[in-house]
Amino acid sequence: KKIILQTGADAVKLEGGSKIINIIKHLIKNNIPVQGHLGLLPQSQKGKFRYKGKKLAEGNKILKDAKLLETAGVFSIVLECVENSLAKKITKSIKIPTIGIGASVCCDGQVLVTDDLIGLNPIKVRFVKKYIDIRKYINNAIKKFKKEVKEKKFPNKKYIY
């Protein structure tokens, strides 16, 4: 509760299902809103990232966890890199909103990390659409700055006291 109050956050997002269900229940019992996160779990997963739900057992576990999270009281669930038909099945099976990130157009909403969306992150991931390559503009600005400093054109009278 202290973190919510001091940071001004509206909620917390936790990755996982049955393994962390007691933590989720405790937070919700203490009036802390929780958003679930299933599928690819980038903050807690080690190794190579791959999409989830291709295998039947894995998909069934994710669906079961989604229902468990809903029953526990989360207000929504992020589905990250979840196979398309599984994301659709989960979205139809629960009453709370699903938010897709590389999951499916069938989710109730979508999210992309801003650094990925604007091209700041050089890592290429299939589900990331770059709407602009901001790195190019940043690099050009840095080159211009460096050149002006070397040529003693910056700072000029306009930028000093």
Side-chain angles (χ1 to χ4, degrees):
K1 193 116 185 156
K2 186 177 182 181
I3 291 172
I4 295 285
L5 293 172
Q6 289 183 352
T7 63
D10 293 318
V12 295
K13 180 188 71 69
L14 296 178
E15 293 184 350
S18 59
K19 288 183 179 181
I20 61 162
I21 197 64
N22 290 332
I23 296 168
I24 290 171
K25 287 179 178 179
H26 176 78
L27 292 171
I28 292 171
K29 181 181 162 190
N30 286 283
N31 298 314
I32 297 174
V34 177
Q35 180 178 52
H37 187 135
L38 298 172
L40 178 67
L41 309 176
Q43 283 82 43
S44 56
Q45 184 173 321
K46 291 180 172 72
K48 188 177 178 185
F49 288 177
R50 63 171 188 78
Y51 78 95
K52 305 293 180 176
K54 182 178 180 180
K55 296 178 182 171
L56 183 63
E58 183 179 58
N60 287 339
K61 169 83 169 97
I62 294 169
L63 175 60
K64 184 179 175 183
D65 279 346
K67 291 177 179 180
L68 183 65
L69 292 177
E70 178 183 38
T71 301
V74 301
F75 64 86
S76 70
I77 301 173
V78 172
L79 298 176
E80 184 164 355
C81 295
V82 171
E83 194 272 329
N84 184 50
S85 63
L86 176 61
K88 184 176 185 177
K89 186 175 185 178
I90 291 169
T91 300
K92 287 185 174 189
S93 299
I94 61 177
K95 291 180 176 71
I96 58 174
T98 58
I99 309 299
I101 179 165
S104 170
V105 70
C106 298
C107 293
D108 297 304
Q110 299 295 323
V111 67
L112 275 178
V113 175
T114 302
D115 286 4
D116 294 336
L117 185 143
I118 64 172
L120 194 55
N121 188 347
I123 298 170
K124 293 184 181 189
V125 183
R126 180 177 173 175
F127 66 86
V128 171
K129 179 178 180 181
K130 292 182 182 178
Y131 287 82
I132 189 171
D133 184 3
I134 201 73
R135 289 172 58 92
K136 177 175 69 175
Y137 294 100
I138 292 169
N139 287 335
N140 287 341
I142 291 169
K143 285 176 187 175
K144 287 179 184 178
F145 169 74
K146 180 180 175 181
K147 183 178 185 264
E148 287 186 11
V149 169
K150 282 186 169 188
E151 294 173 355
K152 304 281 186 196
K153 292 181 180 176
F154 180 85
N156 60 25
K157 286 184 181 184
K158 182 177 179 181
Y159 300 102
I160 59 175
Y161 292 93

